[in-house]
Amino acid sequence: MENLIKAVKAFIGDVDFQEPVPVGNGHINCTYLVKTSNNSYCLQKINTSIFKDLDGLMNNIEAVTHHIRKKSIALGRNPYRSTLKFLTANTGKSYVEIEGSAYRMYHYIDDVFTIEKMENPNHFYLSGVAFGEFANFLSDFDASVLSETIKNFHNTVSRYNDFETAITNNISGRADEVTAEIEFVRQRKGFVSMFVDRLADGSLPLRVTHNDTKLNNVLFDNKTQAPVSVIDLDTVMPGSYLYDFGDAIRSGATHAAEDEQNLDIVDFDLDLYKAFAKGYIEQCGASLTDVEIELLPYASIMLTLECGIRFLTDHLNGDTYFKIHREGHNLDRCRTQFKLVYEMEKNLDKLKEIINSLVK
Ligand code: ADP
Ligand code: GN1
Ligand code: MG
């Protein structure tokens, strides 16, 4: 707590504030709400074992939020709500380092909610609108100014290789307990290069994308239910529309939580799929290339498989990447993802039909 308080003071000086209170359910950073008599802020301890180049990371976020803010103002929106607004610390930078940890502070957006588990298809449609609009806003952003904050983030081949290394090293000693999950991944070895190959040969275009389009990275307005802001901008980098589309479907086209232990209730819901796809394609469909359209039905399978592989790899490595809250948490998360992959694969023809009906 002492360091959190030091961090807040580095940003807002001597103004009185209430003790920071943890908020949200992110797997990576630690986020706190800090209230003064006039303002609410998020204080975030940045996960520096994942994000090592803090200047590169914060430069990316400053540039991207500046770009989005300009577009939002032009549309008559509130610039403090439509994207994140970071404070500058007494060091002149947008982060401070205290005893080996790094912190940043930005305006808390009031009267909003996030969704952890999808209940209402209209919310998922609106998430599609939010992420599709995000893609559009950044379509004229100069990608050359962006650092790659996590190398090979959605390179599914490199994720597969990390998984094989984790089995070989077996640091946790858990490899023998997850033979079925290992087999599930190995059966799909031929599939994991589908997007990587098309990016490498240039037939799939690189775009500036969010790369972490999970449900709880959109803030919705309490009163109007409309999406207010896309948050969690640490991974905004050159990527593919397929990543953002696929990862959003992974987290939202089911009624189950990501860590649900009862796999019988982990469903893949085609109506939810269609709702998101409609919102997303309405916003950025006009710029999709033929190859993107052809690969879009595979996107949720790829990104869900990739995420499951990452959870399994972390389980094998002894839970060093994703925050866990119970023994076996990453394995539970991996199993929900593989159940979803299985269901998506069974429905591939329907996914193709849905995409085709929306792009016409
Ligand atoms: P992580 O990388 O750990 O997922 P996020 O930046 O997504 O961190 O923040 C975690 C959670 O904190 C979000 O899911 C959301 O609930 C809440 N949150 C983050 N930023 C804001 C904000 N500006 N206003 C309101 N809530 C926020
Ligand atoms: C992490 O930060 P958060 O919780 O929004 C992860 C995503 C995973 C997701 C799985 C930087 O997202 O890639 O898909 O967990 N973010 C990072 O829930 O690794
Ligand atoms: Mg998040």
Side-chain angles (χ1 to χ4, degrees):
M1 185 53 74
E2 211 181 299
N3 286 348
L4 294 182
I5 289 176
K6 274 192 207 160
V8 175
K9 286 187 174 163
F11 286 100
I12 63 170
D14 284 334
V15 177
D16 280 339
F17 59 91
Q18 294 170 17
E19 201 167 88
V21 179
V23 287
N25 282 310
H27 291 346
I28 303 298
N29 298 305
C30 298
T31 312
Y32 304 86
L33 170 61
V34 179
K35 286 188 168 180
T36 67
S37 53
N38 297 321
N39 279 305
S40 300
Y41 300 101
C42 274
L43 174 72
Q44 207 166 49
K45 183 172 164 199
I46 306 170
N47 188 325
T48 44
S49 50
I50 297 176
F51 300 107
K52 297 195 193 305
D53 171 16
L54 290 172
D55 289 315
L57 175 78
M58 292 312 297
N59 286 342
N60 278 6
I61 296 181
E62 300 266 13
V64 164
T65 52
H66 179 76
H67 192 86
I68 295 175
R69 189 167 303 107
K70 263 194 327 202
K71 300 227 165 168
S72 304
I73 291 171
L75 291 170
R77 298 190 192 156
N78 179 341
Y80 282 89
R81 285 176 76 74
S82 42
T83 189
L84 301 178
K85 177 89 178 86
F86 286 80
L87 307 190
T88 304
N90 53 12
T91 53
K93 291 193 172 193
S94 54
Y95 67 92
V96 283
E97 286 178 283
I98 299 170
E99 290 180 21
S101 297
Y103 302 84
R104 61 189 167 200
M105 208 160 153
Y106 50 98
H107 286 264
Y108 185 82
I109 299 175
D110 283 312
D111 296 320
V112 292
F113 64 95
T114 48
I115 304 172
E116 296 297 328
K117 217 163 59 160
M118 187 46 72
E119 315 266 321
N120 173 344
N122 193 44
H123 284 150
F124 204 32
Y125 163 74
L126 292 170
S127 291
V129 170
F131 283 122
E133 184 181 69
F134 184 90
N136 260 343
F137 278 177
L138 294 178
S139 60
D140 59 346
F141 181 90
D142 176 8
S144 69
V145 307
L146 290 176
S147 324
E148 201 180 354
T149 54
I150 302 180
K151 296 251 176 293
N152 290 323
F153 190 58
H154 283 309
N155 181 326
T156 316
V157 173
S158 121
R159 297 294 187 181
Y160 184 93
N161 294 337
D162 292 346
F163 150 80
E164 286 291 354
T165 305
I167 301 169
T168 306
N169 295 342
N170 197 12
I171 292 171
S172 63
R174 291 164 165 168
D176 286 347
E177 297 158 19
V178 292
T179 50
E181 287 76 13
I182 290 174
E183 192 46 33
F184 185 91
V185 179
R186 285 184 170 157
Q187 279 166 1
R188 287 155 181 80
K189 185 176 179 188
F191 171 67
V192 296
S193 62
M194 187 190 236
F195 297 174
V196 173
D197 289 349
R198 307 296 285 271
L199 281 165
D201 70 19
S203 55
L204 183 60
L206 263 188
R207 312 276 198 173
V208 175
T209 46
H210 184 282
N211 296 309
D212 188 1
T213 49
K214 171 169 159 174
L215 212 49
N216 66 9
N217 288 331
V218 180
L219 304 179
F220 290 89
D221 191 292
N222 277 339
K223 286 186 210 88
T224 64
Q225 310 279 298
V228 174
S229 185
V230 168
I231 61 164
D232 203 348
L233 306 173
D234 295 325
T235 51
V236 177
M237 292 181 277
S240 164
Y241 282 168
L242 303 174
Y243 300 159
D244 281 2
F245 180 81
D247 198 45
I249 296 295
R250 170 193 83 73
S251 68
T254 174
H255 300 92
E258 186 178 77
D259 58 358
E260 175 57 58
Q261 289 175 293
N262 177 2
L263 292 182
D264 291 343
I265 60 169
V266 179
D267 61 328
F268 171 56
D269 186 313
L270 286 167
D271 290 333
L272 286 172
Y273 183 94
K274 190 166 186 178
F276 183 91
K278 182 169 183 295
Y280 190 78
I281 291 171
E282 272 171 12
Q283 293 297 313
C284 68
S287 59
L288 290 172
T289 65
D290 287 348
V291 173
E292 283 170 325
I293 293 169
E294 177 205 324
L295 296 182
L296 214 47
Y298 298 91
S300 61
I301 304 176
M302 186 69 77
L303 272 286
T304 310
L305 176 65
E306 180 191 285
C307 192
I309 293 175
R310 292 174 64 199
F311 288 140
L312 182 55
T313 303
D314 202 29
H315 180 72
L316 289 164
N317 285 339
D319 306 311
T320 56
Y321 186 93
F322 296 103
K323 280 192 223 162
I324 56 158
H325 306 291
R326 60 175 184 254
E327 174 75 17
H329 207 163
N330 275 315
L331 181 58
D332 293 339
R333 291 169 176 154
C334 152
R335 287 180 171 150
T336 60
Q337 302 308 293
F338 291 172
K339 170 84 192 282
L340 288 171
V341 168
Y342 178 78
E343 294 295 326
M344 289 170 187
E345 287 171 343
K346 268 200 326 204
N347 281 289
L348 180 60
D349 286 343
K350 293 199 181 105
L351 305 189
K352 289 182 180 170
E353 266 168 42
I354 292 172
I355 298 297
N356 284 335
S357 72
L358 292 168
V359 290
K360 275 177 191 144

